[in-house]
């Protein structure tokens, strides 16, 4: 089956670092846009970073300069490197990707299962 599997979440002290991974698996012909969202406790989901196919990365203002999104085409994986973490970064982080399974068919959005990131004071 086609799916996105996330890993790398955990608990760190403020100022620490974590790197999240999101690997696409299954019969995938091509991957379009890939990105990361997060949902803090009791709040709405928000875009953290995106990396369009054939374009450059984009970041939310409050993570710019601290987070880095990257893509590895051979591994069909996107990464989110998070540095200088703050307590307000605490959230469930979700991977998103537009996947094309067959020639001549449209891209379909998929979501990872979510991974918890907790930053303590």
């Amino acid at each position: 089956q086609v799916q996105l599997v996330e890993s790398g979440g955990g608990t760190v002290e403020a100022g620490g670092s974590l790197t999240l991974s999101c690997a696409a698996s299954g019969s995938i012909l091509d991957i379009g846009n890939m990105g990361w969202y997060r949902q803090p406790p009791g709040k709405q989901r928000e875009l953290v970073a995106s990396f369009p196919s054939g374009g450059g990365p984009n970041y939310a203002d409050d993570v710019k300069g601290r987070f880095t999104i990257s893509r590895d085409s051979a591994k069909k994986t996107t990464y989110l490197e998070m540095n200088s973490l703050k307590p307000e970064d605490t959230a469930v982080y979700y991977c998103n990707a537009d996947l094309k399974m067959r020639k001549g068919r449209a891209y379909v959005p998929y979501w990872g299962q979510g991974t918890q990131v907790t930053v303590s004071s």
Side-chain angles (χ1 to χ4, degrees):
Q1 59 180 1
V2 175
Q3 60 182 347
L4 301 178
V5 179
E6 301 180 33
S7 62
T11 301
V12 297
E13 293 287 329
S17 300
L18 281 175
T19 297
L20 306 182
S21 300
C22 175
S25 63
S27 298
I28 301 169
L29 183 63
D30 189 57
I31 303 177
N33 181 69
M34 303 189 83
W36 291 91
Y37 293 75
R38 68 185 181 187
Q39 186 168 15
K43 299 181 179 180
Q44 295 183 347
R45 182 187 63 184
E46 62 185 20
L47 177 67
V48 177
S50 65
F51 204 141
S53 177
N58 304 286
Y59 300 94
D61 288 341
D62 57 352
V63 307
K64 191 175 182 64
R66 299 189 297 122
F67 292 10
T68 301
I69 185 173
S70 60
R71 295 177 59 154
D72 186 324
S73 297
K75 296 181 178 179
K76 299 180 181 178
T77 300
T78 182
Y79 305 92
L80 185 68
E81 297 181 19
M82 304 182 293
N83 301 306
S84 301
L85 284 162
K86 306 174 181 179
E88 50 263 45
D89 293 318
T90 295
V92 177
Y93 284 69
Y94 296 92
C95 171
N96 171 260
D98 295 327
L99 307 180
K100 186 175 184 178
M101 271 66 74
R102 295 182 64 87
K103 180 181 178 181
R105 299 298 183 183
Y107 290 87
V108 179
Y110 277 77
W111 290 89
Q113 80 279 11
T115 185
Q116 177 71 46
V117 172
T118 302
V119 184
S120 61
S121 300

